[in-house]
Amino acid sequence: MKNSIIYLFSAILFSNLMNAQLKPVKYSEGSQQLNGLFIKSAKKSTNNPGILLLPAWLGIDNASKGIAEELSKLGYHVFIADIYGEGNYPKNTGEAGKQAGFYKTNYEAYQKRIDAALKELVKSGANADNIVAIGYCFGGTGVLEAARGHLNVKGIASFHGGLGKDANRKTEPISAKVLICHGADDPFVPKEEIASFQQEMRDAKADWEMIYYANAVHSFTNPEAGNDNSKGAAYNAVAAKRSFDHLQLFLNEVLKK
């Protein structure tokens, strides 16, 4: 049964890219050339709901492409952001760690890159006032910065993302609705960080929810992460499916279709 779940969910998220409608989009932020991907909704809607997708620390990958394709079938315009830009794409996890670390520390620079991608999503057809930002790992950290930075999104959904912010930063009210999908056994997000995040949400008067998935560690939505939980990052088919179901409930609540 478990193998069947893994096969079916992987097939949904990783459909044949040869038949995909993902289209490259060149854009910029400041002097930096960026290369995103856009896929239009498979369904017509006068409300043109949009989803901004922030990928994990290695940049645009098969996981983000597969999720974008599935969301387009459900009736959303989707734009996958390029945070690093030409000449800065990491070749390995070591380089990715340095790049991601820079943006986590320089959160205002991260917010600007996210906002640039948000504008491209609108240019591509999404309603500027009907958008949710979703992110995975490093991208999960990014969508929280979108909420903290008051970018024009109705809600944000973070999957196995970092939750912390510098304690010296002022906590301001958060208007975007917040969904956190978290692996119950994720070793990369300390309990103290979780507690601080939850207090931040209370202090910010945010409309937030945090869902834990049993036996799930970091990267639980990515089939390419392997299946060895002892490494701290691994795919969990059940958690991946449940979190995608929770995302759909969230989108149905927050966006007009």
Side-chain angles (χ1 to χ4, degrees):
M1 179 66 179
K2 185 176 180 180
N3 288 337
S4 296
I5 294 174
I6 292 173
Y7 176 78
L8 288 172
F9 193 69
S10 296
I12 290 173
L13 291 187
F14 293 89
S15 58
N16 189 339
L17 294 180
M18 293 299 292
N19 296 322
Q21 298 174 347
L22 284 160
K23 297 180 180 179
V25 178
K26 289 187 177 294
Y27 64 112
S28 62
E29 189 274 307
S31 60
Q32 178 63 60
Q33 177 71 51
L34 301 165
N35 299 287
L37 289 173
F38 173 74
I39 184 167
K40 68 179 181 180
S41 169
K43 301 178 181 179
K44 291 184 178 181
S45 168
T46 56
N47 293 310
N48 290 320
I51 296 177
L52 178 64
L53 194 159
L54 306 185
W57 67 347
L58 284 170
I60 297 174
D61 54 12
N62 287 334
S64 57
K65 292 175 184 177
I67 291 166
E69 288 179 326
E70 186 62 19
L71 289 170
S72 75
K73 296 174 187 175
L74 296 175
Y76 303 98
H77 293 304
V78 187
F79 189 85
I80 308 177
D82 174 14
I83 300 301
Y84 304 136
E86 284 190 12
N88 301 306
Y89 300 124
K91 300 180 180 65
N92 50 54
T93 56
E95 291 184 4
K98 291 179 181 178
Q99 289 275 28
F102 170 82
Y103 287 100
K104 287 178 181 179
T105 302
N106 297 276
Y107 65 90
E108 290 179 335
Y110 201 0
Q111 291 171 354
K112 287 180 180 178
R113 287 290 163 88
I114 297 168
D115 195 42
L118 188 60
K119 288 180 171 62
E120 290 303 317
L121 173 57
V122 174
K123 287 180 184 178
S124 297
N127 182 336
D129 296 317
N130 198 29
I131 292 173
V132 160
I134 69 173
Y136 298 79
C137 297
F138 170 54
T141 302
V143 294
L144 276 172
E145 288 302 339
R148 291 169 178 147
H150 309 294
L151 301 189
N152 191 26
V153 293
K154 292 296 185 183
I156 66 100
S158 172
F159 298 81
H160 41 82
L163 305 175
K165 70 176 179 66
D166 192 313
N168 294 321
R169 287 176 63 184
K170 181 181 178 181
T171 295
E172 298 181 354
I174 290 177
S175 59
K177 295 181 186 296
V178 176
L179 169 65
I180 305 296
C181 296
H182 188 71
D185 300 327
D186 190 332
F188 298 123
V189 183
K191 292 180 180 179
E192 296 78 12
E193 183 174 315
I194 294 173
S196 294
F197 163 76
Q198 293 183 354
Q199 188 59 51
E200 176 194 358
M201 293 296 102
R202 296 184 182 97
D203 293 342
K205 308 298 182 185
D207 180 350
W208 68 284
E209 57 186 314
M210 186 169 182
I211 303 172
Y212 291 83
Y213 300 97
N215 305 313
V217 292
H218 206 63
S219 300
F220 64 80
T221 63
N222 188 351
E224 295 182 352
N227 57 11
D228 186 354
N229 277 18
S230 69
K231 294 182 178 179
Y235 179 57
N236 182 306
V238 174
K241 183 182 183 303
R242 287 175 178 171
S243 65
F244 194 75
D245 289 343
H246 286 134
L247 172 62
Q248 291 181 72
L249 290 172
F250 182 74
L251 295 174
N252 288 337
E253 176 187 333
V254 175
L255 296 180
K256 296 177 181 179
K257 294 187 72 176

